[in-house]
Amino acid sequence: DGGGSVRIPAAATGLIGLKPNRGRVPSGAGQSDLGQFVVAGPLARTTADAALLLDAMVDEPNFHATSAAAHGSFLDAALRADGRFRIGVSTASPFAAAFPIELDDAAQAGFDAGVKALGAVGHEILEADLRYDPRYHEAFQTVWTAGLAVARIPADREKDLTTLARTLRRRAQGKSATDLASAVDILRQFEQDTIAQYSAFDIIATPALGMVPRPIGWYTDADADTDYLRQCQYSPYTSMVNVCGLPAISVPIFTTAEGLSMSIQLIGRPSAEADLLTVSAQLEDHFRANQTD
């Protein structure tokens, strides 16, 4: 998950998708990820399964730093499912300064249903007035695509790249070291400012996606800039979590009449994966009970 690639497919398919805190899961060479965006995380059918897989990935079942819900393994936290939190709700996106970001009807309905359920299980729900640096979009794209500039691709194979990959590679190769350093500085400040805003709450709730899952070919039937624009509009709330290094989880809320899944995203405090698993399990129990009724 370097910008949402665990949480986005989870949200589109009715699964639990957990992005752990930066550094939580052991990884390979860090030099290939300039922004330190990428972390491995579980995709699972249930919260308990996601917690069990995270325990296996971390391989430190008795270490969970500074989480109010954590005493023992992540699976223990999911099975106990206790705890009540201050949850700030927001539909603000850092991409809104560059692109029109609007929730479609299903995404709004899913978010509203998720917020209502959070209140129903006993959490304090508060509006979060979040403000993001308008320079985010350009800085994120610069750092996110920096690896394309040095990727070893034989000249005779460049033609096989998608239009988006070829375009972003060309732009990355045109950036100077100063451009890259400046972008890293902007994102470092973005991380500090965003975590400071989030610290007024235990958890931040956002929509998982801005739209219902897209049909095959929706991204690639236009030019590279339209492809990238559509990606930002479809998932305007995920990449900022990678920049900040925070844990986040995508939790399915309901299924549309067409059979498409809608989810809510919960963003935790640093190293508070156990709190997210706790709330995810509470939501599962809540919807399971309502279905039974």
Side-chain angles (χ1 to χ4, degrees), residues 28 59 78 113 118 159 188 192 213 243 245:
D59 196 27
L118 290 168
K159 67 181 185 304
R188 184 181 296 116
Q192 294 174 2
V243 170

Side-chain angles (χ1 to χ4, degrees), residues 171-201:
R171 290 177 183 170
Q173 290 172 332
K175 298 287 185 180
S176 68
T178 300
D179 293 334
L180 189 54
S182 176
V184 170
D185 283 343
I186 289 170
L187 294 187
R188 184 181 296 116
Q189 188 63 53
F190 177 91
E191 176 183 350
Q192 294 174 2
D193 293 344
T194 300
I195 291 177
Q197 292 185 81
Y198 288 3
S199 68
F201 310 94

Side-chain angles (χ1 to χ4, degrees), residues 88-107:
V89 300
S90 174
T91 58
S93 167
F95 286 115
F99 306 123
I101 302 295
E102 296 180 1
L103 298 179
D104 70 13
D105 291 343

Side-chain angles (χ1 to χ4, degrees), residues 196-226:
Q197 292 185 81
Y198 288 3
S199 68
F201 310 94
D202 298 311
I203 291 171
I204 295 292
T206 75
L209 300 173
M211 309 175 188
V212 295
R214 300 289 83 197
I216 293 173
W218 183 70
Y219 293 111
T220 55
D221 68 358
D223 58 42
D225 288 326
T226 301

Side-chain angles (χ1 to χ4, degrees), residues 22-213:
R22 178 183 292 141
R24 173 70 76 185
V25 177
S27 61
Q31 302 308 313
S32 60
D33 178 17
L34 179 63
Q36 296 184 309
F37 298 156
V38 180
V39 60
L43 281 156
R45 293 183 183 276
T46 68
T47 302
D49 282 352
L52 181 62
L53 180 52
L54 184 59
D55 280 327
M57 297 169 78
V58 172
D59 196 27
E60 295 180 11
N62 293 312
F63 174 71
H64 304 310
T66 65
S67 173
H71 301 284
S73 69
F74 288 115
L75 179 58
D76 288 340
L79 293 178
R80 282 196 315 274
D82 57 6
R84 297 294 180 265
F85 303 101
R86 284 170 51 89
I87 298 181
V89 300
S90 174
T91 58
S93 167
F95 286 115
F99 306 123
I101 302 295
E102 296 180 1
L103 298 179
D104 70 13
D105 291 343
Q108 184 67 61
F111 184 55
D112 292 344
V115 171
K116 181 178 179 181
L118 290 168
V121 299
H123 300 292
E124 182 181 3
I125 306 301
L126 302 160
E127 291 292 331
D129 182 19
L130 303 178
R131 308 294 176 91
Y132 295 115
D133 190 327
R135 300 173 297 172
Y136 175 85
H137 154 62
E138 185 173 353
F140 174 75
Q141 187 181 106
T142 296
V143 178
W144 187 56
T145 61
L148 288 172
V150 295
R152 297 179 179 178
I153 302 173
D156 63 342
R157 296 301 305 276
E158 292 225 9
K159 67 181 185 304
D160 297 324
L161 296 173
T162 64
T163 300
L164 177 65
R166 189 166 52 249
T167 300
L168 293 181
R169 175 175 165 83
R170 184 178 67 250
R171 290 177 183 170
Q173 290 172 332
K175 298 287 185 180
S176 68
T178 300
D179 293 334
L180 189 54
S182 176
V184 170
D185 283 343
I186 289 170
L187 294 187
R188 184 181 296 116
Q189 188 63 53
F190 177 91
E191 176 183 350
Q192 294 174 2
D193 293 344
T194 300
I195 291 177
Q197 292 185 81
Y198 288 3
S199 68
F201 310 94
D202 298 311
I203 291 171
I204 295 292
T206 75
L209 300 173
M211 309 175 188
V212 295

